[in-house]
Amino acid sequence: MTVSYDNSKIIFDGIKAAGIKSVSALPETWLGLLLQRAESDPDVQLVQVAKEEEAVGVAAGAYFAGTPHALLMQNHGFLGAINGIVSLAQLYHVPLCMLIALRGHWGEPYPWHTRGGIVTEAVLRALGIPFEYAREPAQVAKQIREAWTFSQSSLSPVALLLTRDLMED
Amino acid sequence: MERARCLEMIYSELTDTLVVTIMGASAQELYNLGHRENFFYLQHAMGLASSIGLGLAMHLPAERVVVLDGDGSVLMNLGTFATLARYRPRNLIHIVFDNGSLLSTGGFDSHTTSGITDLAAIARGAGIEHVAAVDTAVGFGEAFIAALERNDLSVIVAKVAAVGPERYGMDLQLPENAFRFRRWIQHRKRATEQTS
């Protein structure tokens, strides 16, 4: 199994088509090709963080600055960023458009990803974070645009879960 | 040296500057000097004040950003020094008031007490070129002026006494602070665009 080149391009094009100008991320395998594109695109500002919770702060700064911003992270990074999501984004009504690589779920061969994958949906529900699964390349650009729109109207974090069907060939 | 005194010294320079503070005493002492619409008080999410500052500075290169951090908060997000060093926003001044204490949560010693952990050395080791460590009011004032004039990412670690304000309270709800802070920035952006 390899990371899908074509679908990584579709997702990146979808991010740009949604009007997003800035992306914060912590690199992970499924997001690698996407981040390479972000890194080499002069129209997108990429901020690589040392830990995903930092990206919540960076995203808040971008929001205050008025620059459309998305966060790219693995679900384990999301789990590690929860205090920032709760006590900055939700507490202050700062929108977050999160694209989350859903590792450790259906078809996962690596044991170390599995617990995080199993609990991700339940944690999102517990936090009251609206989410959708992205499985179809033909749908994902629309889903990114809608995630963005909903984050801005609800002033809330929203999550688009990037699944194995989408991310691997 | 008291943090409140340091804040008094720099307050007049913060008129047109985006200021992000951490929770508790730092936020309250700045507020007590007189709230301004360009002040954002991060009353929770410890560690992220400097990350917000980075996001502001990178996306608003024409604005100056000052972060008022503390030892307890920055110890929760030491990676921030490395991220700041990597992107090196020239318009960001990161002040860390180091009182060696988790003052707002009962005054327990932090790891910086008695010089065990040296935050300035950590900042330098992370790759930040301009790091000042000060423990007098004069030293703090000089370091801040130097940072203003430098036009490069600057970190000031200021040793201060573990004392805070007598009373806490703000006539400002947390989301209200966020909404107004953002509005102030957007108004200013539009005004700049119209004149340019």
Side-chain angles (χ1 to χ4, degrees), chain B residues 78-99:
Chain B
L78 285 175
T80 193
F81 286 131
T83 309
L84 291 178
R86 178 168 181 174
Y87 291 100
R88 196 170 179 163
R90 298 190 173 276
N91 51 340
L92 179 63
I93 300 173
H94 183 196
I95 298 171
V96 184
F97 290 116
D98 180 2
N99 63 8

Side-chain angles (χ1 to χ4, degrees), chain B residues 13 64 90 93 130 141-154:
Chain B
E13 296 292 333
R64 175 176 281 131
R90 298 190 173 276
I93 300 173
H130 304 292
E142 287 174 354
F144 186 72
I145 290 165
L148 287 178
E149 291 172 350
R150 182 176 291 127
N151 196 30
D152 197 356
L153 172 65
S154 302

Side-chain angles (χ1 to χ4, degrees), chain B residues 7 10 14 17-22 26 30 38 40 42 47-57 64-70 73-74 77 80-81 84 89 91-97 140 144 153-157 181:
Chain B
L7 293 174
I10 65 173
L14 304 179
T17 300
L18 298 173
V19 181
V20 180
T21 80
I22 56 162
S26 301
L30 183 67
N38 47 308
F40 180 72
L42 181 62
L48 295 189
S50 56
S51 303
I52 297 173
L54 175 66
L56 287 166
R64 175 176 281 131
V65 181
V66 171
V67 173
L68 302 174
D69 214 333
S73 281
V74 86
N77 182 15
T80 193
F81 286 131
L84 291 178
N91 51 340
L92 179 63
I93 300 173
H94 183 196
I95 298 171
V96 184
F97 290 116
F140 176 76
F144 186 72
L153 172 65
S154 302
V155 171
I156 301 170
V157 179
F181 183 66

